[in-house]
Each structure stands twice: as C-alpha cells, then as structure tokens.
Amino acid sequence: MRRYTPKDNVQKKAKYTDRFYVAPSVPREEIEEGSFFESVVNKLKDSGVELLDTYVELGQLVMKIKPEDNVKALTELKENSCFKQCSELSAVDYLAQDGEFEVFYQLLNLDKALRARVITRIKENQAIETVENIYKMANFAEREMFDMFGIYVNNHSYLKRILMPDDWVGHPLLKTYPLQGDEHAAWYEVDKIFGKEYRDVIGPELRDPARIDRYDTQRFARVGHEVPFGADPSTIDETEVKIEDRYSKTFATDYTTGSKELENRR
Amino acid sequence: MQQPNKLKPFFENLNFERQDNTMVINFGPQHPSAHGQLRLVLELQGEQVVKAYPDIGYLHRGVEKMGENMIYNEFLPTTDRLDYIASTSNNYAFALAVERLLGIEDKVPRRAKVIRTMLLEINRIISHLFFLATHALDVGAMSIFLYAFREREFAMDLMEDYCGARLTHAAVRIGGVPLDLPAGWIESLSNFLNKLPEQIKLYEDLLTENRIWKMRLEDVGVVEPDDALSWGCTGPMLRGSGIAYDVRKEEPYELYSELDFDIPVSDRKDSYGRYRLYMEEMKESVKILRQLISMYPKTECKLMAHAPEYISAPKEEIMTQNYALMQHFVLVTQGMRPPKGTVYAPTESPKGELGFYIVSEGEPYAYRMKVRAPSFFHTGLLQDLLVGTYIADVVTIIGSTNIVFGEVDR
C-alpha cells in the first residue's frame, strides 16, 4: 500500500517521533500586578477592544484580539501606550489544524525597551484591514504577507506581489505549497518568453553535471575530437576530425614484470 | 502603447512618452550602485523624482521556507546568505532566538560569549568598512574604496583564521561556538585594533571636511524621526534621525551589559550624519574588542552549553561515553525538538535590528520562521525618501541606507 501523506501540509516532518513523546511548552506567565504590561492591557480594554487572551511569553506581552479590532487596537497602543514602532508583521499558516491564519504584529516601545505582540486569527479567504495608516512599514510587510500567504489586505495603497513575480501561481509559505517545483515552475521563464512550443526545443532539464553528450556540438567539445560549432548532429561521424589525444593519454608502466626503467634506477 | 509579443513581453506600465511630460526610468536591477539586485522605477519631472517604486525579489531564495523544512542546526549555515556582508551576525541572531526558545541562553559558557561578542564586533567593522567603501565609491570617492577594502581584508583574515571562511562564516552554533580561538589570534586581533583607528582617522581626514563629500551628502536623504519610526527603520537609520535606540544597550544580549561603550547618535537626520555615525560606531567596536581581549584569559575553556536534550556533548565525551554518542546520533539524525512556543529575539546587526521570529510546535522543524531583516524596511522607506530629490542624489540615498539584498529578498 502507498504511504499516506496528508495533502493539507506537505512540509517536512520528523521521520520518527516516540509514541509517548509530549512536547513541553514555553511557560506562559500571568501579567504581573502593577507592571507596565498591566497598564497597557487596561488601557486597551478601556478603549473598547475585546481581548481574547493575554499572557507574557519570554518577556514579551502577547494580546489576542478579534481581527475586526486590529486598527483600533494598534492605534490605541501607538497613541496611549507609546508602541511607536512595529518591528514585524506577518502571518502563520494554521489552515491544516484550524482552517485559520494567525496574523501577528510585533510592537516595540522604545522608551521602556519592552516588546508586545498582537495576534489575531482570520479564516481562510477572510481579508484583514490594513494598518498602513498607523505604521507605514505595513506597506511592504502587508504586501509580503499577501505574496507569501494570499491574505488580502483591505484598503492597502498598493497590494501587489513583492518578492515573487506578478504572474506567479500559488503562495509559497502556505503549508500546502509543494517543496519541489512543479512543471509550471520549471518552465516559467521559457513559457513566458518563448511560448510553450519551445519546451520541446530545450528538452528536459539535465541535472547531472558530469554528463557529456557525444552529439552536443554547441556546449562541450569532446576531448580529442573536433567538430565544427553547431554542426548537424546526424553528420557528426563524417565531419569530425580525429586528433591524436596527446594530452590525455596515460602511460602505464608495468612494474611487476621488471621494466628496464626500474632496473636502471636501482 | 507597448506592443507585447513573445520576445518582448508586456512590462508593467513602463511608458516612456506620457502626457504629463514626466519620464519613467528603470534604475537597476543591474546598475552598479543598486547594491545588488534593486530595481527602482523612478518617475522623473526634469531631474526631480516625482515617484519612486522599489521593485525587489530578484534575489528571493525562500530562506524562510527553507527554515521551515530544515532542522535547526541544518538551517544555521543558510542564515549566512541573508546579510552576506556580516554573516556571523545572522548566525548569531538565529542561534540567540533558538537559545531563548530552548531556555539555554544563560547556560552558554562565558568563553563562548566572549568569542561570540568578538566575532559580532569584527563583523560590524567588516560591514561598516564595506558600507564606507561602496558608499564613497557610489558618490565618487574612489580612493576610499581601496583604503577601506584593505582594512576589511585584514578583518576578514581574522575571520578566516578563526573559522576558515571569509564570507559565509557559520562561526556560531546553537549553544556556543564550535572552536576556541587559534594560537596567536588574540595578538593578530590587537595588531589589527592598533592599526584600525589610524586608518579610520585617514578616512575621516579624507572625507569628513571634504568639500565635495559634504556637498553630496549634507541635507540629502533627510529622514524625520517620526517617519523613521513609522517605516520601521532601525540601527544607524534610526540613530541618524536622533533617536538613541540600540538593542545592544536597551535589551542587552551576550556580554554587552558588562561592556563599556557609547551609542553614537546624530540629529542631522541626513546622509552626512549617518556617515559620521558609521565612523563613530567603528571606533566603539574597537573599544569593545579591546575590553573583550582582556576578558578572554579570565574564562574557562568550555565552548558549548551543557543541555544534553538539545545539544551534543563535547567530542571527547562522544568518543568515550556510550550515552553521549547515542544522544549525538539522535540530535544529528532527527534534530533537537524545542518546546512549543513563539519567540522573537531582536539583535543589533550592523544594518539594524535583525530578529528571528520562530514558531515552534515541538517538532524538529520550525513551524514558522520569519526573518525580520532591517534592510527590507529600509528599502520600503525609499519610496517615501526619494520623492522630491534629484536623480544625482538617488545614488547617495541608496548608499546611505546601506541595504543588502540577501537580506531584503531573503
């Protein structure tokens, strides 16, 4: 029977996991009373943003909000809690498990040198509002998120692929994206510039670097033979000029049956 | 109107004759001062830039995707290819993120910390010298290029003596460093440190008060502090706008909390201020390295953290003890399994804040690996910064942002 591979996550997985292995978790701490993080959370609650979860993970505050609230929450955090910079913004693909993406906004308060993360979950095919008007870095970061995950960002000034070519098919960081390039990817440039018919002229890709094609008259001349450049391969046996291969010949001496040379040396 | 055919495909709205008398030109991706693979579409009114559109992705290799499909130790050499001018800072940023996730940041031996901090600062000097050389070359000062590259060679020789590579170092491991410093390395480092300040003075004598240099750089590429924050600028781009934020000082990692150094800040906001900043930072790096040299002899000879669940034992143990060998075998064939959780670890790379955002699901492969590269956001800033400048200043501004495309495209 063929081995089952899940179609919703084609990424590499551990070859072997112990049956009884339970992965430990990074501790999620409660927010300390009277800390700066508590005031941040309180201010956010007062402004009417619903917080689904709050905890401190590895010294950084994590707040889970609803996707509709992202602009409101980030505006509030920037204006009143002094998170002046958004370091990073992107998504994590949880489509296989929950059918959702997790979008995260990694924020920095420069005065207190503290970092917070706002996370939100959106469904597949659900768009999210842009935060470009709050943090201009979102202009590039949201374009990258769209390019890599296919998440649409509403009201973005220029939502277009950024790293991949405009006419690329698929979004590379999805867990369903194949690790090996498919036929479309392999012939991308050829199809675009010369058209599909030209695939036959080029032929399949050869990945063996040591391969020498005897009838190749354009790329590699064969050692010891000369063929006019670009000669018709069918006429190769008639046209080739045989040259004595002086440089590649190895001169073997048979040492077992006592050669004269050896005796002389002794 | 373009007439696309198979050999001349349609290129997005590149009309050279337009109604409003503006001209659209393509800067790069093969322009010598486009710092690698930057394609910049500029709309010009006369010589003034009306609109700038940085087009990136020509060096996209899917490093994040690779990070999700390699075990952690396997991925470390790949991080060299991000900011290839200062490879060790990438290796280190990745190693730090994984160490925080594993909770072994404090277990890294002190000697490893000294060596890592030394390597990071040497990489900063290498990167800043490279910046100075290429920036000066772009602006037209050819001789600085030759002088700066000479000193950069000496710094790269130090890296080569340590790890055997000049460009892609992979000189840091998760949990420590692979090797101790070779014999005589400290002497060569102190020779280099004695030489470098003289050379920095030479560059400054040549450039700082140079009339042409000042005319080309002063008040060119002015970034207001609010814009710098909003566009996600970090490192010299942020400090050049008068905001004193350095991850080494504010959120110290390695030995930076024990070291005595200053954070140069410029309130000029322009390219000239940033150039001065780079020069000062090199001097600070020299200061840091001198302190590290005196720290080194006081450390015990231990290079990797002791965390048998995640990190292989030292080679002597692997060769003598059965259990250490078994663990090593499992760690090499299957890879370490960090706990479930999310980590974002920022570091101050020569270009700015380099951070790895790792989501772990308890598997030997990261579930999500996001590289927060400083140059990516500095490239985004260009579309705002270039508007209104003259075409001759475009090169200065690109040079002054110090973007490296391995990092932008990843």
Side-chain angles (χ1 to χ4, degrees):
Chain A
M1 235 170 75
R2 211 160 24 143
R3 198 164 155 219
Y4 173 72
T5 44
K7 299 287 177 290
D8 51 3
N9 185 350
V10 294
Q11 308 304 301
K12 263 198 172 175
K13 285 176 210 75
K15 285 203 180 64
Y16 169 77
T17 306
D18 191 280
R19 290 203 270 173
F20 304 111
Y21 178 76
V22 179
S25 288
V26 172
R28 291 183 174 181
E29 294 147 24
E30 293 289 310
I31 300 167
E32 273 180 50
E33 293 268 332
S35 63
F36 171 70
F37 285 156
E38 199 195 19
S39 69
V40 172
V41 170
N42 287 339
K43 276 182 203 165
L44 202 57
K45 272 181 190 160
D46 293 343
S47 68
V49 176
E50 191 187 339
L51 287 172
L52 304 175
D53 196 7
T54 51
Y55 53 90
V56 177
E57 190 176 28
L58 296 167
Q60 298 182 3
L61 173 67
V62 184
M63 290 166 283
K64 192 171 177 188
I65 58 165
K66 284 184 171 174
E68 308 85 80
D69 288 345
N70 69 338
V71 173
K72 202 173 167 189
L74 291 182
T75 316
E76 161 66 22
L77 286 168
K78 189 185 180 187
E79 299 301 324
N80 296 333
S81 299
C82 223
F83 284 100
K84 289 262 177 69
Q85 196 167 47
C86 183
S87 306
E88 183 57 286
L89 167 181
S90 193
V92 188
D93 175 0
Y94 286 111
L95 291 179
Q97 295 94 319
D98 316 320
E100 288 175 332
F101 288 110
E102 184 181 285
V103 179
F104 64 88
Y105 302 90
Q106 179 75 39
L107 307 177
L108 167 64
N109 181 327
L110 288 101
D111 304 333
K112 301 240 190 301
L114 288 173
R115 287 172 194 271
R117 179 157 64 242
V118 175
I119 55 174
T120 181
R121 291 259 180 154
I122 54 170
K123 298 266 173 235
E124 198 179 3
N125 300 328
Q126 186 185 346
I128 194 159
E129 186 67 23
T130 180
V131 296
E132 208 188 347
N133 303 327
I134 311 166
Y135 301 110
K136 287 181 190 162
M137 53 72 73
N139 182 308
F140 257 36
E142 280 173 346
R143 271 179 71 185
E144 195 195 327
M145 182 168 81
F146 164 70
D147 191 359
M148 293 291 136
F149 292 96
I151 298 174
Y152 276 90
V153 183
N154 285 339
N155 298 325
H156 189 279
S157 60
Y158 193 53
L159 193 66
K160 191 174 157 261
R161 281 190 185 265
I162 186 166
L163 294 175
M164 305 303 284
D166 293 343
D167 51 354
W168 194 257
V169 179
H171 298 281
L173 280 181
L174 291 177
K175 295 287 173 193
T176 47
Y177 194 81
L179 292 182
Q180 293 281 318
D182 57 359
E183 203 191 331
H184 180 268
W187 293 103
Y188 174 72
E189 278 105 347
V190 174
D191 286 356
K192 189 174 175 184
I193 297 171
F194 301 106
K196 271 192 179 171
E197 316 81 82
Y198 206 74
R199 285 184 185 189
D200 298 333
V201 180
I202 292 177
E205 187 178 4
L206 302 171
R207 287 192 181 273
D208 181 6
R211 191 190 139 92
I212 295 172
D213 183 1
R214 183 168 187 269
Y215 296 103
D216 179 8
T217 54
Q218 289 192 328
R219 279 158 287 201
F220 293 103
R222 290 164 300 142
V223 175
H225 301 275
E226 268 183 16
V227 173
F229 178 80
D232 182 7
S234 59
T235 62
I236 192 162
D237 293 323
E238 299 143 29
T239 52
E240 78 180 1
V241 187
K242 289 225 165 55
I243 301 171
E244 212 179 308
D245 40 354
R246 291 176 215 98
Y247 42 86
S248 65
K249 213 172 241 173
T250 43
F251 298 94
T253 321
D254 191 0
Y255 287 106
T256 47
T257 57
S259 73
K260 266 188 184 172
E261 212 178 302
L262 271 178
E263 275 170 21
N264 289 343
R265 256 191 243 160
R266 278 174 199 140
Chain B
M1 184 59 204
Q2 294 184 34
Q3 285 168 333
N5 59 32
K6 277 178 183 169
L7 282 167
K8 276 169 74 184
F10 181 75
F11 285 116
E12 341 139 341
N13 308 323
L14 277 191
N15 300 322
F16 285 82
E17 286 167 41
R18 290 154 62 111
Q19 296 296 323
D20 55 354
N21 208 20
T22 58
M23 186 170 79
V24 177
I25 65 157
N26 237 332
F27 183 96
Q30 304 296 346
H31 193 280
S33 61
H35 281 221
Q37 299 289 320
L38 170 66
R39 175 177 170 232
L40 202 58
V41 182
L42 298 169
E43 195 178 318
L44 299 176
Q45 174 82 54
E47 286 208 5
Q48 209 167 21
V49 179
V50 181
K51 202 175 168 209
Y53 166 66
D55 183 14
I56 60 174
Y58 289 91
L59 206 58
H60 178 58
R61 296 146 297 176
V63 168
E64 287 169 8
K65 187 76 172 174
M66 286 157 92
E68 290 165 20
N69 289 288
M70 285 183 181
I71 62 173
Y72 289 89
N73 279 322
E74 206 180 352
F75 181 59
L76 194 127
T78 313
T79 58
D80 281 338
R81 278 80 182 164
L82 288 170
D83 173 8
Y84 42 76
I85 304 300
S87 303
T88 310
S89 50
N90 307 311
N91 302 151
Y92 177 71
F94 173 67
L96 179 74
V98 179
E99 282 161 18
R100 288 215 176 134
L101 193 61
L102 301 174
I104 59 165
E105 200 190 348
D106 304 328
K107 289 187 189 167
V108 177
R110 197 171 162 79
R111 176 160 291 192
K113 284 190 174 181
V114 173
I115 296 173
R116 282 170 165 206
T117 320
M118 277 180 176
L119 298 180
L120 288 178
E121 289 309 315
I122 291 173
N123 270 268
R124 194 177 308 278
I125 290 173
I126 291 177
S127 171
H128 283 12
L129 284 172
F130 186 87
F131 159 79
L132 181 70
T134 51
H135 186 32
L137 185 70
D138 288 348
V139 175
M142 180 80 189
S143 50
I144 291 291
F145 173 79
L146 300 170
Y147 289 132
F149 259 55
R150 186 179 58 191
E151 267 61 63
R152 185 168 169 269
E153 283 301 297
F154 294 143
M156 289 193 352
D157 285 346
L158 284 170
M159 285 309 299
E160 191 182 4
D161 288 347
Y162 176 68
C163 65
R166 295 167 71 79
L167 208 62
T168 50
H169 305 138
V172 170
R173 294 287 179 277
I174 298 165
V177 286
L179 299 160
D180 203 350
L181 298 179
W185 196 83
I186 292 279
E187 285 80 64
S188 0
L189 175 62
S190 36
N191 287 341
F192 174 67
L193 294 182
N194 291 337
K195 186 83 179 153
L196 188 66
E198 295 169 22
Q199 296 299 325
I200 294 176
K201 191 171 177 304
L202 171 75
Y203 313 144
E204 287 190 324
D205 288 348
L206 280 167
L207 290 179
T208 306
E209 294 304 324
N210 185 323
R211 202 153 42 94
I212 306 169
W213 182 252
K214 281 181 107 170
M215 278 161 70
R216 292 296 307 269
L217 263 70
E218 276 182 343
D219 300 323
V220 170
V222 177
V223 189
E224 293 301 327
D226 284 345
D227 280 344
L229 285 172
S230 184
W231 277 105
C233 293
T234 45
M237 286 297 285
L238 188 64
R239 294 193 287 275
S241 297
I243 299 168
Y245 194 88
D246 189 314
V247 182
R248 290 179 293 170
K249 265 283 195 248
E250 306 288 338
E251 299 158 85
Y253 50 94
E254 289 308 303
L255 295 173
Y256 286 116
S257 52
E258 297 173 29
L259 294 163
D260 170 38
F261 64 103
D262 295 324
I263 300 299
V265 182
S266 161
D267 53 3
R268 288 192 56 99
K269 305 174 199 166
D270 60 357
S271 304
Y272 187 73
R274 267 170 252 143
Y275 148 74
R276 294 292 298 272
L277 218 61
Y278 278 100
M279 305 306 275
E280 293 303 319
E281 278 196 11
M282 273 198 274
K283 292 178 196 164
E284 293 303 318
S285 291
V286 171
K287 213 161 100 184
I288 294 173
L289 281 166
R290 288 225 168 96
Q291 295 169 47
L292 287 168
I293 287 178
S294 60
M295 275 182 181
Y296 177 76
K298 295 170 203 153
T299 52
E300 280 177 51
C301 185
K302 196 163 172 289
L303 296 173
M304 290 292 275
H306 178 72
E309 259 182 287
Y310 305 122
I311 288 159
S312 298
K315 184 146 187 179
E316 305 85 72
E317 278 179 37
I318 293 174
M319 297 310 239
T320 52
Q321 295 173 20
N322 198 8
Y323 197 73
L325 178 65
M326 283 157 65
Q327 258 172 343
H328 178 64
F329 180 77
V330 171
L331 285 173
V332 169
T333 52
Q334 295 181 25
M336 63 173 84
R337 290 165 194 262
K340 279 184 191 172
T342 309
V343 65
Y344 175 72
T347 60
E348 186 74 24
S349 92
K351 313 277 185 303
E353 181 185 311
L354 175 68
F356 278 74
Y357 181 95
I358 302 177
V359 179
S360 159
E361 293 278 290
E363 291 280 304
Y365 301 96
Y367 193 74
R368 173 85 169 99
M369 175 94 63
K370 179 85 185 86
V371 187
R372 191 256 183 241
S375 299
F376 180 74
F377 297 104
H378 296 167
T379 314
L381 170 72
L382 286 179
Q383 54 191 316
D384 205 20
L385 193 56
L386 290 178
V387 174
T389 58
Y390 288 92
I391 190 145
D393 294 336
V394 169
V395 171
T396 313
I397 293 172
I398 295 173
S400 167
T401 48
N402 196 10
I403 44 183
V404 164
F405 272 78
E407 202 174 57
V408 175
D409 296 342
R410 297 180 301 270

